[in-house]
Amino acid sequence: MPGRSEAHERLLRRAATVLGGCLGSFRLPDDVAIVLARGAGSHVYDVDGREYIDYLLGSGPLLIGHAHPAVVAAVQRQAALGSTFYTLNEPIVELAERLIEAIPCAEQVKLVSTGTEATLHALRIARAYTGKPAVLKFEGGFHGVNDYALMSALAARPTDYPTPIPDSAGIPSAVEADVLVARWNDPDLLDALVATHADRLAAVICEPLQRALVPAPGFLRTLREVTERYGVLLIFDEIVTGFRLAYGGAQERYGVVPDLATYGKAIGGGYPLAAIAGRAEIMAVADPTRRGRAPLAHLGGTFNGNPIGAVAGLATLEVLRQPGSYERLYAVTERLTSGLRALAAERGIPLTISGDGPLFQVFFTDQPVADYPGVLASDRARARAFGLACLARGLFVNPGEKFYVSLAHTDADVERTLAIFADALDAVA
Ligand SMILES: Cc1ncc(COP(=O)(O)O)c(C=O)c1O
């Protein structure tokens, strides 16, 4: 970042040496790389004390903002009582009850630590329950970084349906044979693929709001009908949409109930916690007492049901349950997106904003973006340049990707953000 202090530069050099300069796939270019020191509400601060309005929010979990006082108090209380037990504890029982109250498909939940584990286990449970090996996912749908998920999620070219394009080297080729890929928002292709492969298909998994691409009217309903007709389980990956689109997530927002669903991000209140939810009859295949007498989907993890994540999640859900929370989240996002649309129109810049609820993504195209080929056809270099221009001007974002909005974003944040959007659009005009 221009103007970084010598101490900041030194820290970045140390990070380059010991961490390769990043924590995973999120890596900012060297000229705008920063090391963060703290977060408060809707803002983060780098080690030089420079302030950014945060639209990354830890990649989504901080739906009520950084270091919310209720979350901090709950975590401090629990930390003094013990941080992990590897067995039942009261906070996790309470969180499981809150999840089941909120989630339409949930009769039972299993807890893990990350979204990647949640989708891995949901797919394994589906295979164990149905006795079938294959799964179908959608091109451009992201379900974490397990071997089954990293198929046609991030490819640089369109998929030749239903043959997946692995998104990573190092994935065993055997996995590809059991993953089919369909086009998002294409009900006819979906119907044909499920009909053809029903005898080996355990489940269809989707993000009900795929990244920021809204489901076309009736598409999720078709998905539900087709999977039911052919005896295939439907899994909603609600790791982003859960408690974000509505308290009851995408299931409440879109009125479609899957067989299984995965949760992460918001349910841990900013701490690592994720869940698989579903009908008790299906979840029963993960019951360890079945070992040796019935098919068992083995599910385990050192930090499963962690009490710190549980109390942080409970505190977060309590805030979200308050009247007006979702109205506020939607209204702030609407002001940002309508403001940005107007700024682009004034400048004659073709721009499509996609998303629902408190998240959106900016595509530089004059076409509607309904599926992954549509994403690939947009000017992605310009979207990234726009994100980098926002970053350099004080918005903390994942350049070219989604903007996440929280309850902590203020009217003043919106005003400042729109001024930065205007400058950033001028920079990429
Ligand atoms: C829809 C979706 N599913 C799964 C994951 C993986 O979650 P995690 O990063 O916690 O492993 C993500 C992460 O961004 C996601 O957006």
Side-chain angles (χ1 to χ4, degrees):
M1 191 62 65
R4 280 180 307 227
S5 68
E6 182 42 41
H8 199 162
E9 298 287 351
R10 228 179 2 257
L11 203 47
L12 282 165
R13 284 196 295 274
R14 284 166 58 200
T17 304
V18 297
L19 295 164
C22 60
L23 301 177
S25 55
F26 180 65
R27 192 188 201 290
L28 293 172
D30 291 347
D31 57 331
V32 291
I34 49 174
V35 179
L36 291 183
R38 67 186 184 93
S42 58
H43 290 207
V44 287
Y45 301 81
D46 70 19
V47 291
D48 290 328
R50 185 175 173 192
E51 179 188 36
Y52 303 78
I53 305 174
D54 187 8
Y55 291 103
L56 184 52
L57 299 174
S59 194
L62 301 167
L63 193 44
I64 63 170
H66 289 267
H68 188 287
V71 173
V72 172
V75 166
Q76 284 175 337
R77 253 192 326 271
Q78 183 59 44
L81 297 172
S83 60
T84 194
F85 302 119
Y86 195 63
T87 193
L88 294 173
N89 56 84
E90 196 167 344
I92 207 64
V93 175
E94 242 181 76
L95 180 66
E97 286 171 349
R98 289 294 89 74
L99 295 177
I100 287 168
E101 278 164 20
I103 300 168
C105 79
E107 291 174 358
Q108 219 177 70
V109 294
K110 298 283 177 195
L111 284 309
V112 289
S113 300
T114 66
T116 285
E117 288 173 273
T119 59
L120 174 79
H121 285 298
L123 293 171
R124 180 180 291 164
I125 286 169
R127 286 192 298 263
Y129 177 76
T130 60
K132 297 191 276 184
V135 297
L136 184 148
K137 72 177 290 294
F138 291 92
E139 181 189 28
F142 185 73
H143 305 293
V145 297
N146 64 65
D147 287 346
Y148 289 88
L150 276 183
M151 294 284 170
S152 290
L154 310 163
R157 59 185 161 90
T159 291
D160 183 10
Y161 316 110
T163 307
I165 303 171
D167 295 305
S168 171
I171 296 177
S173 58
V175 174
E176 282 170 59
D178 283 329
V179 179
L180 304 173
V181 177
R183 183 173 179 148
W184 182 239
N185 279 333
D186 183 340
D188 296 336
L189 177 64
L190 173 73
D191 197 327
L193 287 176
V194 175
T196 306
H197 299 277
D199 59 346
R200 67 184 189 100
L201 208 48
V204 173
I205 186 168
C206 75
E207 293 182 82
L209 169 67
Q210 182 170 295
R211 312 278 71 204
L213 304 183
V214 291
F219 182 66
L220 294 179
R221 210 161 287 285
T222 302
L223 188 50
R224 180 65 283 186
E225 282 163 14
V226 168
T227 45
E228 237 160 37
R229 190 181 329 135
Y230 292 103
V232 173
L233 296 184
L234 176 59
I235 304 171
F236 275 5
D237 178 349
E238 293 234 42
I239 285 161
V240 168
T241 55
F243 296 90
R244 179 170 278 278
L245 295 193
Y247 192 74
Q251 296 175 49
E252 177 185 324
R253 173 85 174 141
Y254 300 132
V256 174
V257 179
D259 301 295
L260 293 170
T262 52
Y263 291 79
K265 303 206 191 255
I267 67 163
Y271 292 79
L273 195 119
I276 306 107
R279 296 211 311 272
E281 176 209 359
I282 303 172
M283 302 297 282
V285 300
D287 169 3
T289 66
R290 289 163 67 105
R291 185 171 293 286
R293 60 178 181 85
L296 167 69
H298 183 95
L299 187 153
T302 300
F303 293 104
N304 287 3
N306 179 262
I308 303 260
V311 297
L314 283 164
T316 299
L317 300 196
E318 199 47 45
V319 171
L320 291 169
R321 273 153 66 105
Q322 299 310 309
S325 293
Y326 289 90
E327 287 81 352
R328 170 76 193 166
L329 284 166
Y330 274 66
V332 169
T333 312
E334 170 55 27
R335 284 187 59 203
L336 289 167
T337 54
S338 58
L340 176 55
R341 258 188 216 104
L343 291 167
E346 279 164 23
R347 288 162 176 75
I349 297 176
L351 184 143
T352 295
I353 301 176
S354 199
D356 195 14
L359 75 84
F360 64 93
Q361 187 165 351
V362 181
F363 295 101
F364 285 83
T365 171
D366 53 7
Q367 301 297 311
V369 182
D371 53 23
Y372 194 65
V375 173
L376 291 177
S378 69
D379 188 344
R380 295 202 298 161
R382 205 177 192 191
R384 184 166 166 81
F386 173 71
L388 289 169
C390 290
L391 187 64
R393 288 161 177 75
L395 304 184
F396 191 57
V397 298
N398 187 349
E401 302 294 331
K402 281 178 288 191
F403 285 71
Y404 285 112
V405 179
S406 79
L407 265 185
H409 285 90
T410 63
D411 294 344
D413 289 333
V414 172
E415 292 310 315
R416 199 170 127 213
T417 300
L418 290 176
I420 290 175
F421 279 167
D423 272 2
L425 282 176
D426 289 338
V428 301

